[in-house]
Amino acid sequence: MDLCIIIPVLNEQQYIENHIADFQSLSSKGDVIFVDGGSTDSTVHLLQTYRFNLVQTDNHGRGAQLSTGLSHVHAYECILFLHADTQLPNNYFTLIKDALNTHDWGRFNVKIDSSKAVFRLVETFMNMRSCMTGIATGDQAIFVKADVASKKLQQLNDYPLKEDIYMSRQLKKVSRPACIKTPVTTSP
């Protein structure tokens, strides 16, 4: 499976500095495109220093960043939208590949990186709600077959916020999502 990972960033310098090795390891399974939405810290410089594939956009908002990333995607089977502060499980590639055998898109369960008990409740309800409604959040690492993305996500640019809800609603027109139980880990 040919995989492209699109990571929108905005002032993520500190997080990227702490997770350089994680981002570098993603390249072993697919192409990674960082899309900067106007960072004012050293995010751009840091990504350039480590020679990551970086695209910049003047259009602000998460939807515009994802749309810009999609415009740079060619000849892939799968697109994975990943938040910079979300870490994939080690076997993410196999999990996605298996899920796309039966679904056109999907998402992972989420685990919030905090020891506070309230976050166990939040993640439980997030995961349950998402499976029941078919609406995923960006923190759940949404993935989609590339041909479906090119047909159904053409208006992403119009959603500076809640682009994940738009994406889910559009993709639900094709199929229900694969709900991968193995969680990604995201910051609180």
Side-chain angles (χ1 to χ4, degrees), residues 21-98:
D22 295 331
F23 292 121
Q24 289 172 326
S25 72
L26 290 177
S27 299
S28 69
K29 297 290 185 191
D31 289 337
V32 180
I33 301 173
F34 286 88
V35 183
D36 183 71
S39 292
T40 56
D41 64 1
S42 294
T43 296
V44 169
H45 175 72
L46 183 62
L47 292 171
Q48 289 171 335
T49 298
Y50 283 93
R51 300 181 190 266
F52 286 109
N53 185 357
L54 173 67
V55 177
Q56 293 177 275
T57 180
D58 292 331
N59 297 331
H60 294 288
R62 185 63 55 91
Q65 288 176 274
L66 297 180
S67 180
T68 298
L70 279 174
S71 71
H72 286 80
V73 169
H74 307 287
Y76 294 96
E77 294 173 69
C78 177
I79 311 299
L80 169 62
F81 300 99
L82 183 66
H83 285 184
D85 66 344
T86 300
Q87 294 179 308
L88 296 164
N90 291 334
N91 61 339
Y92 74 92
F93 187 83
T94 302
L95 292 169
I96 291 172
K97 186 175 179 182
D98 291 348

Side-chain angles (χ1 to χ4, degrees), residues 144-156:
V144 60
K145 290 180 179 176
D147 61 332
V148 173
S150 68
K151 293 174 190 167
K152 291 295 181 185
L153 302 180
Q154 297 171 351
Q155 304 301 317
L156 261 174

Side-chain angles (χ1 to χ4, degrees), residues 69-187:
L70 279 174
S71 71
H72 286 80
V73 169
H74 307 287
Y76 294 96
E77 294 173 69
C78 177
I79 311 299
L80 169 62
F81 300 99
L82 183 66
H83 285 184
D85 66 344
T86 300
Q87 294 179 308
L88 296 164
N90 291 334
N91 61 339
Y92 74 92
F93 187 83
T94 302
L95 292 169
I96 291 172
K97 186 175 179 182
D98 291 348
L100 291 180
N101 285 329
T102 57
H103 293 77
D104 290 308
W105 71 289
R107 57 55 160 191
F108 288 83
N109 273 1
V110 69
K111 179 180 180 225
I112 300 171
D113 190 15
S114 173
S115 60
K116 293 182 181 178
V118 69
F119 287 115
R120 299 300 73 82
L121 187 63
V122 170
E123 65 197 24
T124 298
F125 283 111
M126 254 177 89
N127 296 329
M128 193 168 43
R129 176 198 54 84
S130 177
C131 262
M132 288 174 53
T133 65
I135 301 293
T137 69
D139 290 322
Q140 291 176 301
I142 298 170
F143 55 90
V144 60
K145 290 180 179 176
D147 61 332
V148 173
S150 68
K151 293 174 190 167
K152 291 295 181 185
L153 302 180
Q154 297 171 351
Q155 304 301 317
L156 261 174
N157 214 29
D158 297 339
Y159 292 86
L161 296 172
K162 299 187 182 202
E163 78 293 337
D164 46 7
I165 294 172
Y166 162 77
M167 291 169 65
S168 296
R169 287 183 176 155
Q170 290 299 104
L171 296 172
K172 276 177 47 175
K173 294 176 183 177
V174 177
S175 74
R176 298 243 348 130
C179 296
I180 296 176
K181 302 291 184 211
T182 304
V184 295
T185 303
T186 195
S187 67

